[in-house]
Amino acid sequence: MECAARGIVEEPCASGAHRRCGSCGAVAYCSKGHQFIHWKVHKEECARLATQMSRIDMLSQFPFTFSVEPLALNHTNRSMRCLFLESMKVHLKGLWKSECMCGPDIASVKDLSITTEWNMERSLCPCTEPENPVPAPLASWEDYFQWRSLPLHSPVAVLLHWPLTLYHCLQLSRVRTSRYGHDTLHIHYLGPEKELLQLAVFAELRALFPGVHLRIELVGPAVPRSRDGEVVNISSYPNCSGESCHCRSSIASENLNCSAVTLRIWKGLYHERYGDIVKVLSTVTLDLFKNVKFPVSFTVKYFHVWLTSPY
């Protein structure tokens, strides 16, 4: 963890941030002095963070209630995650490789090439466009599974909590987007780690925000240096395991003004890379307006999202 007061105080941090807040335990500081200075900022959120930290064990587990198959916990040396994935026949496969103790660690991965396989049959995963547009705002996993026509024992919630958390944050913030395909929504996503190996799941935002082009800036120290500044365009859903499913023959859309997701990856801390991000976004915005013919109008929105708990 880095010192929570970094970027606020003038004095540089003297050492690592090993002094945690005694009330919530969610933030850390390098010294008592920095903690004292930061309190005027932290006191407004300390109680909320303490509530979240009290549920950290539950939040770090899979949504096991969505599985109708009992977990066979016969081997004490195997984690619940591995056993769960094995029961669903997706252990160390496709998008699931980083979801257990024996999966790859982001720090040791040199290649973040997008894995586009659910490794499940079509009835268990969202590999194609939804049958119907999003109805009233989705308020729960039950709503999502029903809308996507998925059985509740499908484990896709394990991976989809990344894009569904973004959807939930935008619903809470009442961000409005048109349904005419002319909106671009900019999102700043802080601290990506494991999701860097699961970027394909963000394609689900295409279904959640039809007609909107989402540009997501993923900023964090876990990004490999070789991938700093890389741009990833996602315009199709991850494939199911069915060889005859039309998700494997669908042609990705090349029109970035339609429903699509663009991810840009930044290595470093947000306050250190903010200037670079804004500079790039300013250029992108100008290019968008150059490509739009009168009388179509573009609504470009900038929105920052801090993710603190899964959807």
Side-chain angles (χ1 to χ4, degrees):
M1 297 179 68
E2 68 167 342
C3 179
R6 184 174 178 177
I8 297 178
V9 296
E10 296 181 359
E11 302 83 1
C13 294
S15 60
H18 304 299
R19 182 186 181 89
R20 286 181 179 266
C21 172
S23 297
C24 68
V27 295
Y29 303 92
C30 66
S31 65
K32 187 175 181 179
H34 279 195
Q35 182 177 6
F36 178 79
I37 295 173
H38 188 253
W39 175 245
K40 62 182 180 181
V41 176
H42 178 59
K43 65 181 180 181
E44 300 295 333
E45 62 177 4
C46 188
R48 176 179 61 82
L49 291 176
T51 301
Q52 291 184 348
M53 293 295 286
S54 68
R55 303 170 60 232
I56 193 168
D57 291 338
M58 180 182 70
L59 293 175
S60 65
Q61 297 298 320
F62 286 126
F64 289 116
T65 54
F66 286 83
S67 176
V68 296
E69 300 179 11
L71 294 175
L73 302 178
N74 297 326
H75 304 285
T76 56
N77 63 333
R78 297 295 303 277
S79 71
M80 292 181 66
R81 289 175 175 249
C82 291
L83 291 169
F84 176 77
L85 295 171
E86 285 180 349
S87 72
M88 303 304 296
K89 300 180 180 180
V90 293
H91 186 237
L92 294 180
K93 293 182 179 180
L95 290 164
W96 307 91
K97 288 183 179 179
S98 59
E99 282 299 329
C100 62
M101 297 296 292
C102 53
D105 181 78
I106 184 63
S108 63
V109 175
K110 296 181 180 179
D111 183 15
L112 292 181
S113 299
I114 290 186
T115 301
T116 59
E117 298 287 338
W118 280 112
N119 290 92
M120 293 186 296
E121 59 185 73
R122 179 181 179 181
S123 62
L124 295 177
C125 59
C127 62
T128 59
E129 294 288 344
E131 296 179 0
N132 301 297
V134 182
L138 305 175
S140 66
W141 281 113
E142 287 85 353
D143 288 350
Y144 172 79
F145 273 64
Q146 182 177 7
W147 167 60
R148 269 308 214 163
S149 301
L150 299 174
L152 288 180
H153 64 270
S154 168
V156 293
V158 173
L159 301 183
L160 289 174
H161 74 86
W162 305 120
L164 266 292
T165 295
L166 279 178
Y167 171 81
H168 184 57
C169 289
L170 294 172
Q171 292 298 318
L172 291 176
S173 302
R174 294 181 173 84
V175 173
R176 296 183 179 275
T177 56
S178 76
R179 294 183 177 273
Y180 302 102
H182 306 315
D183 277 359
T184 296
L185 183 62
H186 288 178
I187 300 172
H188 293 190
Y189 186 114
L190 280 59
E193 294 181 358
K194 183 170 61 177
E195 57 264 51
L196 292 170
L197 301 175
Q198 303 166 339
L199 294 179
V201 300
F202 286 94
E204 191 63 9
L205 293 172
R206 300 177 67 245
L208 293 164
F209 297 98
V212 178
H213 184 195
L214 292 104
R215 294 181 176 270
I216 305 176
E217 312 292 329
L218 298 111
V219 192
V223 172
R225 190 169 300 280
S226 61
R227 309 303 293 264
D228 184 27
E230 183 169 338
V231 177
V232 178
N233 291 317
I234 302 177
S235 53
S236 61
Y237 300 98
N239 298 329
C240 67
S241 60
E243 294 297 333
S244 61
C245 180
H246 67 271
C247 71
R248 293 182 173 276
S249 60
S250 61
I251 300 176
S253 172
E254 296 296 332
N255 180 9
L256 293 184
N257 291 336
C258 71
S259 182
V261 179
T262 298
L263 306 171
R264 190 185 300 271
I265 307 171
W266 301 86
K267 180 175 180 59
L269 302 173
Y270 182 67
H271 64 273
E272 296 174 344
R273 300 307 306 270
Y274 179 77
D276 298 328
I277 296 171
V278 171
K279 185 182 300 184
V280 170
L281 290 182
S282 299
T283 303
V284 169
T285 301
L286 289 175
D287 289 341
L288 286 173
F289 276 101
K290 288 178 182 177
N291 293 329
V292 176
K293 297 180 179 179
F294 185 84
V296 179
S297 63
F298 251 93
T299 302
V300 182
K301 300 182 176 70
Y302 297 86
F303 187 74
H304 303 113
V305 177
W306 283 262
L307 301 184
T308 56
S309 63
Y311 177 70

